[in-house]
Amino acid sequence: MAVFNQKSVLDMIKEFRKNWRALCNSERTTLCGADSMLLALQLSMAENNKQVQLLARKIIFSYLNLLVNSKNDLAVAYILNIPDRGLGREAFTDLKHAAREKQMSIFLVAMSFIRTIELGGKGYAPPPSDPLRTHVKGLSNFINFIDKLDEILGEIPNPSIAGGQILSVIKMQLIKGQNSRDPFYKAIEEVAQDLDLRIKNIINSQEGVVALSTTDISPARPKSHAINHGTAYCGRDTVKALLILLDEEAANAPTKNKAELLYDEENTIHHHGTSILTLFRSPTQVNNSIKPLRERICMSMQEKKIKRV
């Protein structure tokens, strides 16, 4: 029976090769067996999972970057609408223009706007014409989530516990409502687990260095300020560990194929995210009241003739 099936498949292959030139200009074709096709499928899935994991790392690292540096506009661009907060390209453009006008970072503009809405009262509320008013709900969601991460820094003095808690909160926010079988769900869990372990290793190595350097020496008096001005003093050690983690990530080898990097950025629209290149490209302004150039020139010439008369 197996021999008969093999003969049938061979007959089909011969017929396919005979008529191939009528379908394609190429003279050669490659036929793969079932095992090779299965292997190709597995390799394709592995490559796709790798891309999803890179995206997951980029998102989580962007949250950590913003947590230790509120002036990081690139981090805001990555995570402003991940998960979906209804803050697409229009919202980012409005924030970008407001930041340029006020000479502030994008995140600080958003935070200032939400604080004014929540605490300022009617006398200090932004005018109805403010473009950011149409994004109040999404911006409030974003700022309140960053506040939650800041609270962990301020309330948990143990950097190992605080780092794990921060990653856990970010993870839960990103996988909320996602299917546990989704590759993005799994990638977020794996990346969060890996970074949690790396933070603990960083803290352990730092404690070992401190223990060796302070043997039989009185401990130095701690500085009276935190690394990040918006962070409480007890979060100082956590921020130091996060900075080491971020520095290690920044020291990774650059992407070899720059064209591929830009292509991936242009087409990275996963889980309500938007390409960074698209975000920083201002949307085309459409104004139906503006008449074509030829018509405006004719009108101008007619007006000049009327004035001469």
Side-chain angles (χ1 to χ4, degrees):
M1 184 68 179
V3 175
F4 176 77
N5 288 336
Q6 186 182 26
K7 187 176 183 303
S8 299
V9 173
L10 284 172
D11 290 340
M12 285 191 293
I13 291 174
K14 289 179 181 178
E15 189 67 24
F16 175 77
R17 288 196 182 280
K18 185 188 299 184
N19 295 284
W20 174 249
R21 293 184 182 179
L23 303 173
C24 183
N25 294 328
S26 175
E27 295 182 357
R28 296 172 181 262
T29 60
T30 301
L31 294 175
C32 299
D35 292 342
S36 295
M37 287 191 287
L38 179 60
L39 179 60
L41 177 61
Q42 289 175 330
L43 291 173
S44 176
M45 291 174 63
E47 184 64 25
N48 180 65
N49 290 337
K50 179 182 176 182
Q51 294 298 325
V52 173
Q53 190 166 68
L54 288 174
L55 174 65
R57 288 178 66 85
K58 189 180 295 184
I59 293 170
I60 293 180
F61 269 108
S62 294
Y63 271 110
L64 298 180
N65 259 305
L66 184 61
L67 191 60
V68 300
N69 181 11
S70 59
K71 295 182 179 181
N72 193 327
D73 289 347
L74 188 60
V76 175
Y78 273 120
I79 61 177
L80 183 64
N81 201 39
I82 300 179
D84 183 20
R85 300 183 176 96
L87 300 174
R89 184 179 173 185
E90 183 182 351
F92 184 83
T93 301
D94 291 339
L95 282 170
K96 184 176 61 176
H97 291 167
R100 188 178 301 165
E101 180 182 345
K102 298 179 181 180
Q103 296 185 344
M104 296 168 62
S105 71
I106 293 176
F107 175 76
L108 291 179
V109 164
M111 184 175 67
S112 175
F113 176 77
I114 294 301
R115 293 287 185 268
T116 304
I117 291 288
E118 294 177 345
L119 306 174
K122 294 182 179 179
Y124 297 92
S129 59
D130 192 325
L132 297 182
R133 273 193 168 275
T134 58
H135 315 299
V136 170
K137 184 177 179 180
L139 290 175
S140 179
N141 180 290
F142 179 62
I143 296 300
N144 290 336
F145 179 69
I146 302 300
D147 284 344
K148 186 184 296 184
L149 300 180
D150 267 324
E151 287 175 7
I152 296 173
L153 281 178
E155 295 176 358
I156 303 178
N158 187 314
S160 180
I161 298 175
Q165 187 68 26
I166 288 170
L167 288 171
S168 177
V169 171
I170 293 174
K171 180 187 74 173
M172 295 307 297
Q173 178 79 352
L174 293 174
I175 66 176
K176 184 178 180 181
Q178 299 284 339
N179 190 323
S180 60
R181 296 182 180 179
D182 191 286
F184 183 74
Y185 185 106
K186 294 180 180 179
I188 290 292
E189 285 198 321
E190 291 174 2
V191 172
Q193 185 177 1
D194 174 61
L195 296 185
D196 186 23
L197 180 60
R198 285 178 60 184
I199 288 174
K200 287 178 170 57
N201 289 338
I202 289 171
I203 293 169
N204 291 335
S205 63
Q206 291 295 306
E207 289 175 351
V209 171
V210 171
L212 289 173
S213 62
T214 57
T215 305
D216 298 327
I217 300 176
S218 299
R221 187 174 182 180
K223 295 181 179 179
S224 59
H225 63 276
I227 292 177
N228 192 27
H229 295 298
T231 304
Y233 173 73
C234 69
R236 185 171 180 267
D237 290 336
T238 305
V239 173
K240 287 174 64 177
L242 293 178
L243 284 173
I244 294 173
L245 178 69
L246 293 168
D247 288 346
E248 289 179 354
E249 185 70 12
N252 286 339
T255 303
K256 293 182 179 180
N257 190 338
K258 302 300 186 294
E260 185 177 307
L261 174 66
L262 294 176
Y263 176 82
D264 288 343
E265 276 299 339
E266 187 69 26
N267 293 278
T268 299
I269 311 179
H270 300 284
H271 302 276
H272 306 289
T274 306
S275 163
I276 303 303
L277 297 178
T278 302
L279 285 177
F280 278 95
R281 186 191 304 134
S282 297
T284 304
Q285 299 295 326
V286 179
N287 191 344
N288 294 329
S289 62
I290 298 178
K291 297 180 180 180
L293 178 60
R294 179 176 300 192
E295 186 176 343
R296 282 181 282 157
I297 292 174
C298 291
M299 289 181 62
S300 177
M301 293 177 65
Q302 288 178 0
E303 289 176 358
K304 288 180 179 180
K305 288 180 180 180
I306 293 173
K307 288 181 180 179
R308 288 174 184 175
V309 174

